Amino acid sequence: MSEYMFKGLDSYDTPAGHPVATWFKLLFRSRWYFYYRNFRTFIRTGKCGSKGELDGEMQIHFSNDNIRLVEDCGGTVHLRGLNNLRDLNGEPVVIIGNHMSLLETAALHAIIREYVDFSFVVKESLYDIPYMRDILKALGAIPVTRANPREDLKKVLTDGKKVLESGRSMVVFPQSTRTRFFDEEQFNSIGIKLAKSAGVRVVPMALKTDFLECGKLIRDLGPIYPQRPVRFEFGAPLTITGNGQEQQKQVVEFIKAAFVRWEESEKQVLS
């Protein structure tokens, strides 16, 4: 049985003095230790998906491995606002957040799957990757091309509404690509439009996962920075009113405010 790591908690902080993995230290804190364990978890998850066994319990199980991996590599994890997910009592919502690295999708099931059964909007090309396609199929992820915004919007509204009507939630990253710094100009309103169309509420999500950066030569094999905390924060649900512009603004302001707090907190730690 897989155990939800954050049961009953509203917040979580990696305990001070959490031991660093011996092999990580012996390998001179190399990123390749991280990718070895991460890839092993990825393969196991894909095989589980291909057998039709990637249910909620197994999603949490494999995602737990990724949370522990961050901590074993000397990173820290900080969570806030889990009560806002718990209080949904299974109500389907659209969770809207910024997109920084592959780490958020690897860790998100460990963080929210206990309270929210959900699917993603993903790049269509990810379905071409062995094992990844089995994971995405098991999650019912909605593929978009990112080549035709109009058609992508239509697909998200159509297929996303079906997911929400089935009682599951949707996680939407409105940015067109992963970026370390939040740029509200690149943060479109597709999540708000989906929530309005389906008649559900939205939950703002701010995250900071630049522990793992995009690579210069191979985008998905970038360096790791254990000194950079991993952070997730969830806001109170918002009801869409009118055309949703006010809720779009509230989501953006929630993310911006979180980044300001985090930056100040990290400056204090460094000082």
Side-chain angles (χ1 to χ4, degrees), residues 5-6 12 14 18-24 27 29-42 44 61-77 103 106-107 110 211-212 224-226 230:
M5 296 174 65
F6 314 111
Y12 170 84
T14 298
H18 186 282
V20 175
T22 300
W23 274 107
F24 182 59
L27 292 171
R29 299 177 180 265
S30 167
R31 78 178 77 176
W32 302 116
Y33 173 82
F34 174 88
Y35 283 111
Y36 166 73
R37 281 184 53 182
N38 178 255
F39 188 68
R40 186 175 63 178
T41 298
F42 169 70
R44 291 167 60 212
H61 172 76
F62 291 122
S63 193
N64 282 348
D65 287 348
N66 290 314
I67 293 286
R68 295 189 183 103
L69 175 57
V70 169
E71 296 182 326
D72 288 350
C73 289
T76 58
V77 177
L103 187 56
F211 168 98
L212 177 63
I224 65 170
Y225 294 92
V230 173

Side-chain angles (χ1 to χ4, degrees), residues 182-188 252:
F182 180 61
D183 181 1
E184 62 182 287
E185 296 299 322
Q186 301 299 318
F187 197 81
N188 65 53
V252 168

Side-chain angles (χ1 to χ4, degrees), residues 238-269:
L238 305 172
T239 301
I240 305 298
T241 58
N243 58 14
Q245 287 186 359
E246 179 60 29
Q247 286 69 50
Q248 174 73 1
K249 180 180 178 181
Q250 289 176 282
V251 172
V252 168
E253 291 302 318
F254 177 85
I255 296 172
K256 288 168 62 177
F259 270 80
V260 170
R261 289 196 307 275
W262 297 340
E263 183 178 3
E264 184 60 32
S265 174
E266 289 167 28
K267 282 182 180 178
Q268 290 178 4
V269 170

Side-chain angles (χ1 to χ4, degrees), residues 10-251:
D10 180 51
S11 62
Y12 170 84
D13 300 286
T14 298
H18 186 282
V20 175
T22 300
W23 274 107
F24 182 59
K25 291 187 287 188
L26 291 175
L27 292 171
F28 304 102
R29 299 177 180 265
S30 167
R31 78 178 77 176
W32 302 116
Y33 173 82
F34 174 88
Y35 283 111
Y36 166 73
R37 281 184 53 182
N38 178 255
F39 188 68
R40 186 175 63 178
T41 298
F42 169 70
I43 296 297
R44 291 167 60 212
T45 308
K47 288 182 176 179
C48 188
S50 68
K51 297 176 183 177
E53 299 173 353
L54 192 57
D55 57 12
E57 180 180 314
M58 295 309 297
Q59 290 163 18
I60 293 173
H61 172 76
F62 291 122
S63 193
N64 282 348
D65 287 348
N66 290 314
I67 293 286
R68 295 189 183 103
L69 175 57
V70 169
E71 296 182 326
D72 288 350
C73 289
T76 58
V77 177
H78 306 275
L79 310 179
R80 298 291 184 270
L82 295 178
N83 281 345
N84 288 321
L85 301 175
R86 183 181 296 109
D87 292 346
L88 292 171
N89 293 316
E91 170 194 340
V93 294
V94 178
I95 300 173
I96 306 174
N98 57 303
H99 195 16
M100 189 172 286
S101 77
L102 290 176
L103 187 56
E104 51 254 32
T105 51
L108 204 52
H109 281 92
I111 298 168
I112 74 172
R113 183 61 179 83
E114 178 80 359
Y115 307 118
V116 181
D117 184 5
F118 64 95
S119 186
F120 291 104
V121 176
V122 301
K123 292 187 299 184
E124 188 176 62
S125 59
L126 292 177
Y127 271 89
D128 297 329
I129 302 173
Y131 298 109
M132 179 63 80
R133 73 169 67 94
D134 297 310
I135 296 171
L136 297 178
K137 286 180 179 178
L139 299 177
I142 299 173
V144 295
T145 64
R146 291 189 178 173
N148 188 325
R150 186 182 296 274
E151 288 301 313
D152 286 348
L153 174 60
K154 182 178 179 181
K155 185 173 183 59
V156 171
L157 293 181
T158 301
D159 293 355
K161 187 175 181 179
K162 291 178 182 177
V163 171
L164 292 161
E165 288 175 344
S166 74
R168 303 177 70 209
S169 293
M170 287 293 304
V171 173
V172 178
F173 301 112
Q175 295 165 238
S176 59
T177 188
R178 291 169 266 159
T179 57
R180 185 181 174 199
F181 302 101
F182 180 61
D183 181 1
E184 62 182 287
E185 296 299 322
Q186 301 299 318
F187 197 81
N188 65 53
S189 60
I190 191 169
I192 297 293
K193 290 184 173 69
L194 172 58
K196 179 177 172 60
S197 174
V200 301
R201 296 192 289 176
V202 301
V203 172
M205 173 177 66
L207 58 85
K208 183 176 182 293
T209 60
D210 55 348
F211 168 98
L212 177 63
E213 272 203 3
C214 297
K216 294 181 179 179
L217 296 178
I218 303 177
R219 186 168 173 79
D220 293 337
L221 293 177
I224 65 170
Y225 294 92
Q227 69 273 25
R228 297 176 181 172
V230 173
R231 302 181 185 273
F232 286 80
E233 184 169 336
F234 302 90
L238 305 172
T239 301
I240 305 298
T241 58
N243 58 14
Q245 287 186 359
E246 179 60 29
Q247 286 69 50
Q248 174 73 1
K249 180 180 178 181
Q250 289 176 282
V251 172

